[in-house]
Amino acid sequence: MAKRVLMEVDAFGGTKISAQGYQGGTCIQATASFESLFSKTVQPRQAVGDCDGRKDDGERVRT
Amino acid sequence: MSHNIALSGVRITDLKELADVVRVVGQGQARFMPNQKTFRTYQGQSPVCDHAIVLAGSNYDIGLRRESDGSYSLLADFTMIAHGSPFRARGVDYHQFLRSATNYDQAAAQFATGALQQEYALRKAEEQAAKMGRRATRIPGKNGSITLEIMER
């Protein structure tokens, strides 16, 4: 379980998340819950995307 | 020719929260108008929307359109409002940002609504952290970014 999560929100609302026990994560839209980060280890492949609205390879993690 | 574009950045679903963000970040320069069905734009046109953000002292508004997934996109002629927008991105040089952009209209939209989207994203994350019994602290960063540190209590 991640004890500390850092969510960096840039000047345009884009987010990057890093969590103790997990590092990676690019664009994740801050929408609802952080449960996916606090309740289990999120694999890097589960957090991809660059917030440009285009489909990316891999699964976009919604927090 | 329409100059309006739709911007889907941060996933906006909470209109009550958005209204408060408009009030606080807009600092009296904008009002959220629920259920206003048109917004002012290029050459006096009034396209349809579901809600609107009226900008004080401007001939342009921002429209909100509900999408199929329940979120809202922001609609406007952002190139006309970007520079003077009360929600413009903080800590970003507009002209420098445009020079590095590949899509001028999208860049203008991002800049024009940056502070609005940033504050909304932070608030929703803080709300969720509180629900989970976590404490959240804002830490200012470079280039207008803000980092939310979320810790166990």
Side-chain angles (χ1 to χ4, degrees):
Chain A
M1 176 183 295
K3 293 185 181 298
R4 178 173 180 256
V5 173
L6 296 177
M7 175 177 152
E8 181 185 348
V9 184
D10 68 21
F12 310 103
T15 58
K16 292 183 181 180
I17 293 180
S18 61
Q20 187 177 1
Y22 160 71
Q23 187 168 4
T26 52
C27 176
I28 299 174
Q29 294 181 342
T31 58
S33 101
F34 282 103
E35 287 176 358
S36 64
L37 292 174
F38 285 94
S39 63
K40 62 183 180 183
T41 300
V42 180
Q43 299 303 317
R45 277 188 60 78
Q46 293 179 345
V48 296
D50 55 10
C51 282
D52 64 357
R54 296 174 299 188
K55 289 187 178 179
D56 301 293
D57 294 331
E59 177 187 354
R60 183 183 293 277
V61 174
R62 306 299 290 267
T63 61
Chain B
M1 182 177 83
S2 171
H3 291 249
N4 299 315
I5 68 162
L7 177 67
S8 297
V10 171
R11 189 166 181 269
I12 296 173
T13 57
D14 186 341
L15 292 181
K16 186 178 176 186
E17 187 74 79
L18 179 69
D20 197 58
V21 170
V22 167
R23 182 184 63 81
V24 172
V25 177
Q27 296 185 334
Q29 298 304 304
R31 284 178 300 146
F32 177 72
M33 302 296 287
N35 302 311
Q36 178 171 312
K37 298 302 182 185
T38 60
F39 66 99
R40 296 173 299 164
T41 187
Y42 183 69
Q43 290 190 338
Q45 297 169 13
S46 299
V48 296
C49 58
D50 294 297
H51 311 282
I53 299 171
V54 173
L55 302 180
S58 173
N59 293 323
Y60 294 80
D61 300 324
I62 299 172
L64 276 82
R65 179 180 68 201
R66 184 179 170 88
E67 303 297 340
S68 58
D69 66 353
S71 67
Y72 289 90
S73 293
L74 304 174
L75 309 170
D77 187 338
F78 290 105
T79 60
M80 297 302 294
I81 66 173
H83 202 265
S85 170
F87 309 117
R88 58 190 178 275
R90 309 290 190 249
V92 176
D93 180 273
Y94 181 44
H95 298 292
Q96 194 171 21
F97 178 63
L98 281 185
R99 278 197 294 271
S100 64
T102 55
N103 184 313
Y104 180 83
D105 289 336
Q106 282 288 333
Q110 284 183 300
F111 182 85
T113 62
L116 179 101
Q117 297 204 59
Q118 184 187 55
E119 181 64 22
Y120 181 90
L122 287 165
R123 285 183 176 213
K124 295 307 288 181
E126 287 168 334
E127 175 187 303
Q128 190 58 40
K131 285 180 182 175
M132 297 176 67
R134 305 270 177 156
R135 58 184 171 86
T137 305
R138 295 192 185 193
I139 304 169
K142 296 179 183 177
N143 301 318
S145 71
I146 296 174
T147 295
L148 204 58
E149 181 186 48
I150 302 169
M151 303 279 287
E152 289 182 326
R153 288 191 182 275

